Every structure is written in C-alpha cells, then in structure tokens.
Amino acid sequence: ITTTVLDQGADVRNVFELGLDTSFKAFKVIHERARGGNDVGLRHVVEPRAEYTYIPEPSVVPENLYQFDSIDRRNELNSIQLGIRNKYQTKRRGRVVDLVDFDLFTYYRFSTLGEQEDFSDIFFDLELRPVRGVFLDLEGGFDPYESTFDRFDAQVALIAKDRSSLAFEYIHRDDSRDVITGDLRLLPGRPVGYAGYVRYDFFDSDLEEHSHLLTLKSDCVGWGIGFRETGDELQLWLQVWLTAMPRGNVELGR
C-alpha cells in the first residue's frame, strides 16, 4: 500500500449539485379478514420512484485531495436512480406492521468515469416480519455484468416472550470478507442467565472471536463471570453491579 500526501496550501473547493425526484404511491387492500393470531387484514403498497442527480466537475477533483471522508470522494455525476418499493402490511394489535418491505433500485449513468459501466449494481433491501418475534433482513448489491454479489448482508433473529434471543448475521464482501456471527442470550431477565457470541471468517477459515458470560442476580446484587478469546488474546472478567444501577466490568487478566 502506497500513501501519497500532497504538501500544498489550502484551497476552496466548489461542488454544485442539481437534483429532481419524482414518485407516486398506490395500494390495494387484498382482504380484511384475520390472518391468524393478532393479525387482521392484508394491504399491498407499491411506490415507484426516479431520482435524477447532476454534479458538474468540482473545482478541485478528488485526485488532488487528501481523502478524509465521503465529501472528498464526490466527483462529477450525471445519473438517475430507478427504483421500486413494495410493502405488504397488516394490523397487529391495532397497529400497522410491515410484513414485507422490499426496496429494489439501480443507477443509470448518462456519463461514466474511468472503468464505470452504464448501470451500477442492482441494490436491494428486504425486511421480513412474518410473525411476532421473527426478524429477517437482507441487503446487498448484485453486479449484473459479472453476475456476482459485490456485497451481501443477512440477519435473522428469533426473540421469545421471556426476551431470550438467537441471532445470526452473515456479511459478504466480494474477494475480501465472508463472515458469520452468532449471538445467543438465554433468560436475560431471570436470576440465572447466559450470553454467548461467536464470529467465524470463512474467507480466512478462522474463528476470529468467541465469548461467554454467565450472570447470577439476586434482589440487590448481580454477578457476572465470563471470558472472551480474540485471536491469540484471552480476556477474563468479573462483573458486580447493583440491580438498579448500570453494570461495569472488572478485568481479571489477559
């Protein structure tokens, strides 16, 4: 990796932007009968949209800037975002709930820079809430030219009535990251509880981290003992807290 820092004085950079957004929303009530449990009715909502953006070449191009944040990366742009959002909604205990929330969009570039293609990735964002206590989220970008996922994130969580939960997350970055994590919490509001976490990297075939915590609570005082292993580092800790106050950690060693 080579880092080049330009030794030069301050400069004023002008970046102008022109945009135009348009969208509309339509819906249809599919039925008003109970779906089962506390869910009543089903409605489909669709929202197509188009967002045009034009940015002329800045007075100072990104190549002549030290890249500190996303503002420094802004360059000339002439594109339109084309997208459509679909929702399936119901009423759960009198409140509107999105059973399905699916957003799909892409960008068409009227002018390209360097090796850019006319179309960007096809981006998607999907949230599923089929029943109470079940959560599923999918998000990512698909490259239509290479037929690969440049990025893909998936999260699934199950939450019980006693607040016990089991969650998994999968993170994929093309040619750089392929990780799955797991999080388990048992009886968090009871006198005896457990929390565990694990992270595994498929790209490097490595168990990056795992941790375990056992908690014991009485009416006044809570105790927790646990350990975390990250690579070659091992941490042990002891927690002591008043049940009506925030907790703190006391590390025993590494």
Side-chain angles (χ1 to χ4, degrees), residues 71-141:
I71 301 299
D72 298 323
R73 294 193 295 270
R74 292 180 69 86
N75 204 348
E76 59 179 302
L77 179 66
N78 186 14
S79 69
I80 186 170
Q81 183 197 97
L82 303 173
I84 185 170
R85 189 171 193 172
N86 283 274
K87 288 186 178 183
Y88 285 91
Q89 300 176 322
T90 188
K91 282 189 175 181
R92 183 172 298 168
R93 295 187 175 182
R95 299 179 58 185
V96 176
V97 176
D98 295 333
L99 298 173
V100 179
D101 187 348
F102 182 43
D103 192 15
L104 183 69
F105 61 94
T106 187
Y107 294 88
Y108 176 76
R109 304 181 180 98
F110 295 101
S111 59
T112 59
L113 297 175
E115 299 180 355
Q116 287 182 337
E117 303 286 355
D118 292 337
F119 281 94
S120 72
D121 285 2
I122 300 174
F123 300 98
F124 59 90
D125 187 355
L126 174 64
E127 297 180 0
L128 299 177
R129 306 291 185 265
V131 295
R132 186 180 182 187
V134 178
F135 304 84
L136 176 61
D137 296 340
L138 303 175
E139 182 182 1

Side-chain angles (χ1 to χ4, degrees), residues 5-244:
V5 179
L6 301 177
D7 186 11
Q8 59 187 26
D11 202 349
V12 177
R13 184 177 190 237
N14 298 314
V15 182
F16 299 96
E17 179 175 340
L18 174 67
L20 177 65
D21 300 347
T22 181
S23 66
F24 71 91
K25 185 182 296 184
F27 68 90
K28 178 182 180 181
V29 177
I30 298 176
H31 66 76
E32 300 180 358
R33 302 184 304 274
R35 292 179 57 249
N38 297 312
D39 295 350
V40 178
L42 183 64
R43 179 173 68 175
H44 179 210
V45 181
V46 59
E47 184 178 359
R49 71 179 183 278
E51 302 177 6
Y52 173 74
T53 303
Y54 174 70
I55 302 177
E57 183 179 283
S59 58
V60 180
V61 296
E63 289 78 6
N64 296 330
L65 285 175
Y66 178 76
Q67 297 298 302
F68 186 77
D69 55 23
S70 60
I71 301 299
D72 298 323
R73 294 193 295 270
R74 292 180 69 86
N75 204 348
E76 59 179 302
L77 179 66
N78 186 14
S79 69
I80 186 170
Q81 183 197 97
L82 303 173
I84 185 170
R85 189 171 193 172
N86 283 274
K87 288 186 178 183
Y88 285 91
Q89 300 176 322
T90 188
K91 282 189 175 181
R92 183 172 298 168
R93 295 187 175 182
R95 299 179 58 185
V96 176
V97 176
D98 295 333
L99 298 173
V100 179
D101 187 348
F102 182 43
D103 192 15
L104 183 69
F105 61 94
T106 187
Y107 294 88
Y108 176 76
R109 304 181 180 98
F110 295 101
S111 59
T112 59
L113 297 175
E115 299 180 355
Q116 287 182 337
E117 303 286 355
D118 292 337
F119 281 94
S120 72
D121 285 2
I122 300 174
F123 300 98
F124 59 90
D125 187 355
L126 174 64
E127 297 180 0
L128 299 177
R129 306 291 185 265
V131 295
R132 186 180 182 187
V134 178
F135 304 84
L136 176 61
D137 296 340
L138 303 175
E139 182 182 1
F142 179 77
D143 186 344
Y145 298 97
E146 299 293 335
S147 298
T148 58
F149 286 96
D150 288 336
R151 56 183 297 267
F152 179 79
D153 298 341
Q155 299 179 10
V156 59
L158 306 175
I159 302 178
K161 293 182 179 180
D162 62 1
R163 294 189 297 166
S164 296
S165 63
L166 175 63
F168 294 98
E169 182 177 10
Y170 175 69
I171 302 173
H172 171 78
R173 300 293 181 268
D174 190 32
D175 295 332
S176 63
R177 195 78 167 144
D178 205 17
V179 175
I180 187 170
T181 67
D183 187 281
L184 175 63
R185 300 178 185 273
L186 297 176
L187 307 175
R190 300 293 180 86
V192 179
Y194 168 82
Y197 175 81
V198 62
R199 184 174 72 245
Y200 183 83
D201 188 347
F202 292 102
F203 193 81
D204 295 326
S205 299
D206 179 41
L207 181 61
E208 294 185 335
E209 178 183 347
H210 68 100
S211 63
H212 309 270
L213 173 67
L214 180 65
T215 58
L216 301 173
K217 294 189 288 289
S218 64
D219 293 337
C220 301
V221 181
W223 299 83
I225 184 170
F227 75 92
R228 176 189 295 115
E229 184 177 10
T230 306
D232 296 330
E233 183 179 276
L234 180 63
Q235 296 179 339
L236 302 176
W237 70 86
L238 174 66
Q239 296 180 344
V240 182
W241 72 95
L242 299 177
T243 55

